[in-house]
Structure formats: C-alpha cells, structure tokens
C-alpha cells in the first residue's frame, strides 16, 4: 500500500531520539499520519513545520499500519512568518484545528483547498489581520459544513426574514434576527454581518472575533462529541488576540 500526494504539514511530534510522527492533510485522501525517519534531524526539522506544503510519499505493508513517509518540500510558509506573530498564530491555529477536527483517512478535498488558499492570503504582506480574518472565519464555517455541522445563516429561524440577522441559535446553528432574538440575546451567539453579506462599514477586529467565537462554539462541540477533547490552545490564543484588539 502506497501513495504520493501534495500535503500540508499539520504537526510533527518526536518519536524516539531522531524520528518524527507527522500529521498530514493530503489533497485527496484526508488526514494521514506516518513515521518520518530522521524527522527531528537538522535537514528535515525545518520542513516539518505546520503549514508547509510538501510532496508526501506514504508506504506500508498494510493500509492499517502507521506507515513510513518521505517528504519533499513544495512550499515553505512557516519560516516566512516568524517575524509576523499574528499571521504565524493564525497558520498554527488552522493546522491544530484541522488536526483536532478531521477524522483520519477520510477525504476532505474542499478543506485542503480552503486551507491552502488561506495560507496564501497570510503570505500577502499588504493584508492586515482584519483583511484575512474574515477568510479564516469562512474557512472554519466551511470546515463545519464539510463535517456535517453546517450553519444556516440565510434566514431567521423564528420568522423567516432575510434581513437584520445578528444572532445564531446555539442549539440549531440557524440565524436569528435582531427583533426575534432580542428577548433571548444573552443566550444567542453573535453573527457578524460579513457572514451574511450585510457588512456596510469597514471590517473590524471585533467582527472577526465575533466570527471566531461563533465558529469556535460549534467546533468545540464537534471535537468534544467526536474526540472527547477541547479545541487546541493555539486556536484559543488567536481568538483572544482578536478579542483584545477589538476592545482596545
């Protein structure tokens, strides 16, 4: 059993003194793990960084085995962001979130494409965090949909109106209008206008943090139900950074 695929490095943990267990998101096969011999050595450790795009060759006698992986770098991203803490935090957060949410060996090509496109945005030095922040939220909305937890943000769940949608029900994941949700506003989740196409003013860090809070609520539910663990700390730190900026 063997395959060769364009892949994104999600994580690489030490295995013994010199080797690494790498977690990959492949273009068409989903998330796979494998042993990289010498992965903690000088030559490979810089390649096995979250967000780097590689050509991965996985091989095992049986499909059920962990398998061995050889890696060839296609595009390095992590190193270029070392001087950009917020961008690097976003890259690491996405990789950790995908590793936590995606089941192993289940194809999710749309998630791979969305993650790659988002990482390309992060490499654009002309974009501020409020510019790429909405794309991060949309990536997570797409991840939820791909995993069967899609949000319905087109119309109010209570009245069916299409305008003034400012909340999301934590139970159903459906949008709620300002009027219908007013009596229960403290129990509902914020819905930023950029997710409904109703954004009129400039993008703000608070809008991004509201979006990340919204998707994080449902991602947290997903990983706790499916994997009995919380969302990664990397993701929580990124949300807090946008919250702090939004209240500054």
């Amino acid at each position: 059993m063997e395959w060769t695929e364009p892949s994104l490095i999600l994580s690489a943990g030490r295995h013994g003194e010199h080797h690494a267990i790498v977690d990959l998101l492949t273009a068409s096969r989903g998330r796979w793990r494998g042993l990289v011999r010498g992965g903690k050595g000088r030559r490979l450790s810089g390649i096995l960084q979250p967000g780097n795009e590689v050509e991965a060759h996985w091989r095992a006698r049986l499909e059920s085995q962990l398998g061995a992986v050889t890696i060839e770098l296609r595009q390095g991203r992590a190193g270029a962001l070392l001087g950009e803490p917020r961008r690097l935090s976003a890259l690491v957060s996405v990789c950790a979130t995908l590793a936590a949410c995606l089941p192993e060996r289940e194809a999710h090509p749309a998630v791979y494409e969305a993650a790659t496109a988002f990482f390309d945005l992060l490499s654009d030095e002309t974009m501020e965090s409020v510019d790429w922040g909405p794309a991060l939220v949309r990536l997570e909305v797409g991840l939820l949909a791909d995993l069967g937890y899609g949000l319905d943000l087109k119309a109010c769940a209570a009245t069916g109106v299409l305008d003034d949608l400012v909340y999301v029900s934590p139970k159903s994941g459906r949008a709620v209008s300002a009027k219908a949700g007013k009596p229960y506003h403290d129990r509902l989740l914020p819905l930023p206008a950029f997710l409904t196409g109703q954004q009129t003013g400039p993008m703000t860090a608070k809008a991004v943090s509201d979006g990340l809070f919204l998707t994080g609520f449902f991602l947290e539910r997903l990983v706790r139900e499916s994997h009995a663990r919380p969302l990664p700390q990397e993701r929580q730190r990124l949300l807090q950074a946008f919250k702090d900026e939004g209240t500054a």
Side-chain angles (χ1 to χ4, degrees), residues 50-70:
N52 282 351
E53 187 175 344
V54 300
E55 190 81 4
H57 180 77
W58 183 96
R59 184 175 183 178
R61 289 180 57 200
L62 301 172
E63 185 176 359
S64 59
Q65 293 178 323
L66 175 65
V69 184
T70 55

Side-chain angles (χ1 to χ4, degrees), residues 166-168 170 176-178 180-190:
V166 298
Y167 304 113
V168 174
V176 180
S177 69
K182 186 176 180 180
Y184 320 101
H185 69 93
D186 56 337
R187 304 179 212 169
L188 300 173
L189 302 170

